[in-house]
Amino acid sequence: MARQSKGVTVVDHPLVQHKLTLMRKKDTSTKSFRQLLKEIGALLCYEVTRDLPLEMIEIETPLTTMQAPQLVGKKLVFAPILRSGMGMLDGMLDLAPAARVAHVGLYRDPATLACVEYYFKAPADLADRLVVVIDPMLATGNTAIAAVDRLMEAGAREIRLACLLASPEGLSKFQGHHPNVRVWTAAVDEQLNDHGYILPGLGDAGDRMYGTR
Ligand code: URA
């Protein structure tokens, strides 16, 4: 189940919404938060890949031959933005185990909220692959914009963005910079606060999944 408008798909499947509510609660444990983020990663992957092309091939079942669909076209690369993007990666890899992974290390300077790159490692054939950037919290949009810029610089041509939560401000800034990158998210929240956090949100996703605060 998903609602689409102007390049944004809100995945409003009841399982996703229920798991997101659990994640928002401040008393949810680190262990549960990490498990839920992984599970939502898998459910979002299901929607992000919904339109992948298929071709019919002939196969033999134990009883007869038949025409059956198989995936065709560009292979996948998942590109988690460190650290919190790692939380959705394993769920996505459960569904698409042959996908490659590009790690994008970016952090937000707490004073300026600008992005600083500290690590980047991607497959060499990005141009021939469909790249799914994983950024659980699309807050100011700066990190996701910088990640897409960097992946394009490294050759990526077809890119999608999977997030858990988006702010209206971050979404519109991201789409202003990258109008051709479609976005999937479990929810679009109300606003950003003065520190660049999403409200009502769920706090700092990296800290909550690794128990670092
Ligand atoms: N990053 C987070 O982890 N949470 C927010 O609310 C914003 C950015």
Side-chain angles (χ1 to χ4, degrees), residues 108 137 139 196-198 203-206:
R108 289 197 304 177
M137 307 299 278
Y197 279 86
I198 297 173
D204 187 299

Side-chain angles (χ1 to χ4, degrees), residues 30-98:
T30 299
K31 177 171 177 265
S32 299
F33 190 93
R34 205 164 44 231
Q35 177 64 26
L36 289 160
L37 188 55
K38 178 183 170 191
E39 290 168 4
I40 292 186
L43 293 164
L44 288 182
C45 182
Y46 185 76
E47 292 294 341
V48 172
T49 55
R50 178 176 281 283
D51 66 347
L52 293 188
L54 295 168
E55 66 176 355
M56 299 306 282
I57 56 160
E58 186 169 292
I59 59 165
E60 284 184 26
T61 75
L63 299 178
T64 184
T65 59
M66 69 172 287
Q67 294 289 314
Q70 75 171 9
L71 287 168
V72 67
K74 290 187 173 176
K75 302 260 192 299
L76 290 167
V77 172
F78 295 131
I81 302 179
L82 306 178
R83 339 180 246 170
S84 63
M86 294 301 288
M88 284 163 61
L89 175 66
D90 283 347
M92 294 188 149
L93 285 171
D94 281 348
L95 290 201

